[in-house]
């Protein structure tokens, strides 16, 4: 076996890159941790989930109010990463959640905002049209607006975390696919078998993204991987009115949602839109990365019903992967059967905004076995009931 490390981080996408830095920067027993990071592709690649030019960060969390303290801490940490890396990662645009007032999106966002006393406004359809003239809400639709919502740039964020991890002393290796891992008897570390040889470490942090069904089959979580498509359009009449828009998520009467991200300095070429979730089950290694014309037509028709000038000229599209749990909540925990293994996975299409706080949690669990952050919702032993 090669030289032992204190911690091996498997997967260097959003979560893993941040964890590698957080661990390498943390001292234990008066010395820095020796961190090995393993990634099967190159730095800040586009084969998983941490790409696409933009990710939304929002605080009034409709999925569950339990996320709010975590996203507030994540926002603080994103700003700290920007300062440390000398690189812009956040663009505050504001955020608008639009739908029927009793629908899950608006009602859930309002519940979280009130539960945590988050600044927000409720706008009726007339007020939405007056403030954002490109939007065409139905008369029975309202919007929850929060000024602190905005955009995180995923590729830039992964790159920044990798640079900081290397600067802190982490040994980062790319083009090295993990084939399997095993916990050694008596809690005596882990052995990781890769395409480039075996590695031994005292602890493993596994952030496998869409490869969770393969690398964490023994966790007992019924993961599914979905192919999702992100689209960019140049609106009719130009992008100028859209540069002043907030990020937005829109829920129609059937419960289908799409989201939009305005042009920004990190991704200036058009407006990004996508369905929030359309099930197309696949595997990480057998995903269809070709975007078909009927998919472009479907998103254009849907978006045009609420944002009439947006689907002007189609610019491009790319696929990404969601790794889902049945209840759409994350898995962040010490492995129930192996105390020397910590896992972070199943981020179900809404995890990237939490990257730095997840890294903080993982570092806590590795170094002390516990964390002050509320993570009971993410226990892999929970009852995985699908959302209503």
């Amino acid at each position: 076996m090669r030289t032992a490390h204190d911690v091996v981080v498997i997967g260097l996408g959003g979560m893993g890159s941040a964890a590698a830095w957080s661990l390498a920067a943390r001292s234990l027993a008066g010395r820095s941790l020796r961190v090995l990071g393993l990634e099967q592709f190159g730095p800040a690649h586009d084969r998983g989930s941490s790409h696409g030019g933009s990710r939304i960060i929002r605080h009034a969390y409709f999925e569950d109010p339990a996320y709010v303290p975590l996203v507030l801490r994540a926002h603080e940490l994103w700003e700290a990463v920007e300062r440390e890396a000398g690189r812009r990662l956040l663009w505050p645009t504001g955020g608008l959640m639009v739908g029927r007032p009793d629908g899950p999106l608006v009602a859930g966002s309002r519940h979280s905002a009130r539960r945590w006393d988050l600044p927000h406004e409720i706008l009726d359809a007339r007020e939405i049209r007056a403030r954002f003239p490109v939007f065409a809400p139905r008369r029975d639709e309202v919007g929850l607006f929060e000024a602190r919502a905005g955009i995180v740039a995923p590729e830039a964020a992964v790159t920044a975390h990798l640079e900081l991890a290397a600067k802190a002393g982490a040994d980062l290796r790319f083009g090295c696919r993990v084939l399997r891992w095993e916990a050694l008897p008596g809690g005596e570390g882990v052995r990781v078998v890769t395409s480039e040889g075996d590695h031994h470490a005292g602890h493993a942090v596994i952030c496998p993204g869409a490869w969770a069904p393969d690398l964490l089959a023994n966790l007992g979580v019924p993961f599914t991987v979905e192919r999702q498509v992100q689209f960019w359009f140049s609106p009719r009449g130009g992008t100028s009115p859209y540069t002043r828009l907030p990020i937005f998520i829109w829920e129609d009467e059937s419960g289908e949602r799409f989201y939009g991200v305005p042009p920004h300095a990190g991704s200036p070429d058009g407006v990004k839109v996508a369905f929030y979730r359309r099930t197309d089950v696949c595997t990480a290694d057998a995903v269809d990365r070709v975007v078909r014309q009927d998919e472009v037509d479907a998103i254009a028709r849907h978006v045009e019903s609420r944002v009439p000038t947006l689907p002007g000229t189609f610019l491009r599209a790319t696929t990404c992967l969601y790794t889902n749990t049945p209840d759409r909540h994350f898995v962040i925990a010490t492995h129930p059967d192996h105390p020397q293994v910590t896992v972070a996975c199943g981020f179900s299409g809404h995890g990237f905004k939490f990257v730095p706080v997840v890294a903080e949690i993982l570092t806590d669990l590795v170094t002390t076995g516990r964390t002050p952050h509320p993570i009971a919702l993410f226990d892999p032993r929970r009852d995985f009931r699908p959302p209503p």
Side-chain angles (χ1 to χ4, degrees):
M1 292 184 184
R2 298 184 181 179
T3 304
H5 292 79
D6 294 309
V7 187
V8 56
V9 179
I10 298 174
L12 295 174
M15 303 302 171
S17 63
W21 175 44
S22 180
L23 286 159
R26 182 78 65 95
S27 295
L28 184 64
R31 66 171 180 85
S32 298
L33 292 172
R34 296 168 297 172
V35 177
L36 172 66
L38 303 176
E39 168 57 54
Q40 63 179 318
F41 302 113
H45 62 82
D46 64 355
R47 313 308 288 173
S49 305
S50 300
H51 64 280
S54 57
R55 288 291 184 272
I56 289 171
I57 185 166
R58 52 191 167 84
H59 298 162
Y61 223 70
F62 71 88
E63 289 87 345
D64 196 299
Y67 285 92
V68 174
L70 295 173
V71 77
L72 292 175
R73 176 58 177 161
H75 205 132
E76 293 176 355
L77 292 170
W78 279 122
E79 292 171 344
V81 176
E82 284 188 315
R83 292 191 296 270
E84 187 73 22
R87 182 194 298 263
R88 187 169 185 189
L89 305 174
L90 287 172
W91 280 265
T93 63
L96 186 67
M97 312 297 121
V98 186
R100 292 187 173 183
D102 58 349
L105 175 64
V106 173
S109 298
R110 181 162 46 192
H111 177 55
S112 283
R114 289 175 174 173
R115 166 69 178 80
W116 293 101
D117 196 25
L118 300 175
H120 68 285
E121 302 174 69
I122 300 296
L123 309 177
D124 63 24
R126 179 186 57 81
E127 291 169 322
I128 293 172
R129 288 191 294 268
R131 191 176 297 190
F132 310 111
V134 301
F135 290 153
R138 307 289 170 86
R139 285 184 297 177
D140 61 347
E141 292 179 328
V142 302
L144 182 145
F145 179 79
E146 56 170 334
R148 289 197 69 206
I151 299 164
V152 179
E155 291 93 341
V158 172
T159 299
H161 280 128
L162 292 174
E163 290 173 351
L164 291 169
K167 185 178 178 180
D171 178 4
L172 307 179
R173 304 187 188 185
F174 299 94
C176 180
R177 179 161 186 158
V178 172
L179 304 176
R180 64 184 184 276
W181 61 270
E182 60 184 52
L184 300 179
E188 293 296 321
V190 293
R191 175 174 173 258
V192 179
V193 179
T194 81
S195 58
E196 305 298 317
D198 294 2
H199 299 277
H200 179 269
H203 201 109
V205 172
I206 305 178
C207 304
W211 286 264
D214 303 316
L215 290 178
L216 290 172
N218 65 356
L219 196 59
V221 177
F223 297 109
T224 58
V225 177
E226 292 178 358
R227 170 187 179 270
Q228 302 292 336
V229 185
Q230 306 166 76
F231 306 84
W232 283 260
F233 289 90
S234 178
R236 291 191 292 273
T239 59
S240 180
Y242 287 83
T243 60
R244 298 182 292 275
L245 281 188
I247 60 92
F248 58 93
I249 303 177
W250 211 305
E251 180 180 77
D252 68 16
E253 59 277 5
S254 73
E256 176 132 73
R257 300 175 190 135
F258 74 94
Y259 65 87
V261 179
H264 61 96
S267 184
D269 59 337
V271 181
K272 175 181 169 180
V273 293
F275 289 109
Y276 184 65
R277 178 171 279 112
R278 276 201 170 184
T279 301
D280 187 358
V281 175
C282 64
T283 69
D285 291 317
V287 58
D288 180 4
R289 296 192 181 273
V290 176
V291 178
R292 300 177 298 276
Q293 185 61 46
D294 65 304
E295 296 177 293
V296 177
D297 295 341
I299 189 71
R301 286 192 303 270
H302 197 85
V303 168
E304 190 173 29
S305 68
R306 298 305 201 272
V307 195
T309 63
L310 178 50
T313 302
F314 170 66
L315 298 176
R316 63 188 178 93
T318 188
T319 57
C320 73
L321 298 170
Y322 286 5
T323 310
N324 299 315
T325 65
D327 60 8
R328 304 294 193 240
H329 296 311
F330 311 155
V331 174
I332 308 172
T334 300
H335 195 294
D337 300 322
H338 307 296
Q340 69 271 51
V341 177
T342 305
V343 300
C345 52
F347 290 98
S348 299
H350 63 110
F352 195 88
K353 62 183 73 64
F354 296 93
V355 156
V357 74
V358 171
E360 189 170 66
I361 291 166
L362 293 173
T363 302
D364 289 343
L365 293 176
V366 170
T367 56
T368 70
R370 59 187 182 277
T371 180
H373 292 295
I375 62 169
L377 183 63
F378 311 135
D379 192 325
R381 296 164 295 185
R382 66 187 184 264
D383 181 4
F384 283 96
R385 296 182 183 180

